[in-house]
Amino acid sequence: MQRTYLAFQHNAKLHTLQTVVTAVRSVAALEEANKGLFKQAKDDDHVVVTEKTIFHPQGGGQPSDVGAIKSSDGMNFDVSMVRMSALNDGEVLHFGRFTNPSSIFKPGDSVTQSIDTEKRNLYSRYHTAGHVLGSAVRHLLEKEVVNFDELKASHFPDSAACEFQGLIEGKWKDTIQKRVDDYISKDMPVEIDWWDENDFKANGLERLIPDRKAMGMTDEEKFRVVKIVGAEVYPCGGTHVDSTELCGKTNVKKISRAKGISRVSYVLP
């Protein structure tokens, strides 16, 4: 199975895209591993696979894009969830429902994808804000907290938080907020780049080199990185705004601690 070309990783400003359908399957006919990717799906819902996609699949802490896929002859497929296949490496599954169940796409059909731009912008603001928060905490506490490291993050609007190894005391909350405010107000550019292992080493960031085999990447492919100019670089496949100021006011909500892990939550207005 051919990997889906992730158009949004190369141009996040694309809100519509023409592409070609490669597969259509009913949810009932899916393998159990892929059925489990979207438990709200009904058996008469479908999955559409296309050569390219502008839909960001749920993953990397970012929610799935939603929207629609339409054909020139009026067929419409409402996309309610997008996930990477659990079985076919690099294949993107668009879960949803055809407006007319008796009129569905077939492989080879030319279609136009369109995403919900308001939600995409919100998710992009949250994702960039999460990187800003991670940068602020690292710069402030890397040498203050024993065994400090950045772990994972959620950029979902209702549960946005960054997790860190080590115990971050509540007294740091105001200091972190000030540093986040500083990074936002400086309107730092957010840039996308593509690096190999040597680029990470050249920038003193060996700790960030992703696992190429685990990601199903060839030896020739480069890793996508997101640079907040003047702050940090992160390997990242998500969507972002063009500068930190576009995140808007980023409020540090609370710092919680459990089992040696600290969680710093945040919210945007």
Side-chain angles (χ1 to χ4, degrees):
M1 180 63 67
Q2 183 179 342
R3 292 166 67 178
T4 309
Y5 179 79
L6 306 178
F8 64 86
Q9 287 195 345
H10 300 269
N11 183 357
K13 291 184 173 63
L14 283 175
H15 292 158
T16 63
L17 177 73
Q18 283 195 306
T19 185
V20 174
V21 174
T22 58
V24 180
R25 300 192 280 268
S26 70
V27 167
L30 287 179
E31 308 87 346
E32 288 302 317
N34 280 332
K35 273 187 185 178
L37 295 173
F38 186 38
K39 293 182 171 59
Q40 291 86 349
K42 298 184 171 69
D43 281 351
D44 57 347
D45 287 348
H46 283 79
V47 162
V48 173
V49 181
T50 52
E51 288 182 356
K52 303 176 182 180
T53 189
I54 52 168
F55 286 86
H56 182 285
Q58 180 175 308
Q62 182 170 330
S64 159
D65 281 324
V66 295
I69 304 176
K70 299 182 180 182
S71 67
S72 58
D73 54 3
M75 285 185 284
N76 182 77
F77 180 74
D78 290 318
V79 178
S80 51
M81 171 60 73
V82 186
R83 298 295 302 266
M84 299 300 296
S85 170
L87 300 173
N88 297 323
D89 183 48
E91 181 183 59
V92 175
L93 306 178
H94 305 84
F95 288 84
R97 176 164 291 201
F98 286 97
T99 302
N100 181 353
S102 64
S103 181
I104 68 174
F105 306 142
K106 63 183 184 299
D109 281 355
S110 180
V111 293
T112 300
Q113 298 177 339
S114 58
I115 59 170
D116 183 322
T117 56
E118 190 172 321
K119 285 187 176 178
R120 160 65 72 80
N121 186 52
L122 177 65
Y123 299 157
S124 298
R125 288 173 56 222
Y126 261 95
H127 204 146
T128 302
H131 284 212
V132 169
L133 174 60
S135 300
V137 174
R138 171 171 286 280
H139 291 175
L140 286 167
L141 301 182
E142 186 173 19
K143 296 178 181 176
E144 299 286 340
V145 172
V146 177
N147 296 324
F148 177 89
D149 198 6
E150 290 181 77
L151 301 177
K152 59 182 181 178
S154 167
H155 310 298
F156 283 67
D158 60 352
S159 59
C162 298
E163 292 188 4
F164 304 89
Q165 184 173 294
L167 297 178
I168 300 175
E169 297 178 40
K171 68 179 183 180
W172 287 104
K173 180 174 177 289
D174 289 346
T175 307
I176 294 170
Q177 182 67 68
K178 287 176 184 174
R179 183 62 63 92
V180 167
D181 290 345
D182 181 48
Y183 286 174
I184 297 292
S185 67
K186 282 183 176 176
D187 201 20
M188 295 169 161
V190 179
E191 299 177 351
I192 306 298
D193 205 351
W194 300 85
W195 285 8
D196 60 19
E197 285 84 352
N198 289 331
D199 293 314
F200 283 97
K201 292 173 183 176
N203 285 276
L205 295 171
E206 290 95 335
R207 63 181 171 81
L208 295 179
I209 296 176
D211 186 333
R212 182 179 291 279
K213 287 185 179 178
M215 295 175 69
M217 295 174 62
T218 66
D219 291 341
E220 292 75 32
E221 288 180 276
K222 291 192 174 186
F223 303 103
R224 185 176 185 265
V225 298
V226 173
K227 299 191 287 188
I228 300 178
V229 179
E232 282 288 333
V233 177
Y234 292 94
C236 181
T239 64
H240 290 269
V241 290
D242 288 338
S243 71
T244 56
E245 190 176 52
L246 294 174
C247 296
K249 175 63 175 172
T250 301
N251 293 306
V252 179
K253 285 175 64 180
K254 63 185 268 191
I255 302 173
S256 54
R257 294 162 294 280
K259 298 180 180 178
I261 304 297
S262 297
R263 179 180 172 88
V264 182
S265 60
Y266 69 99
V267 66
L268 303 183

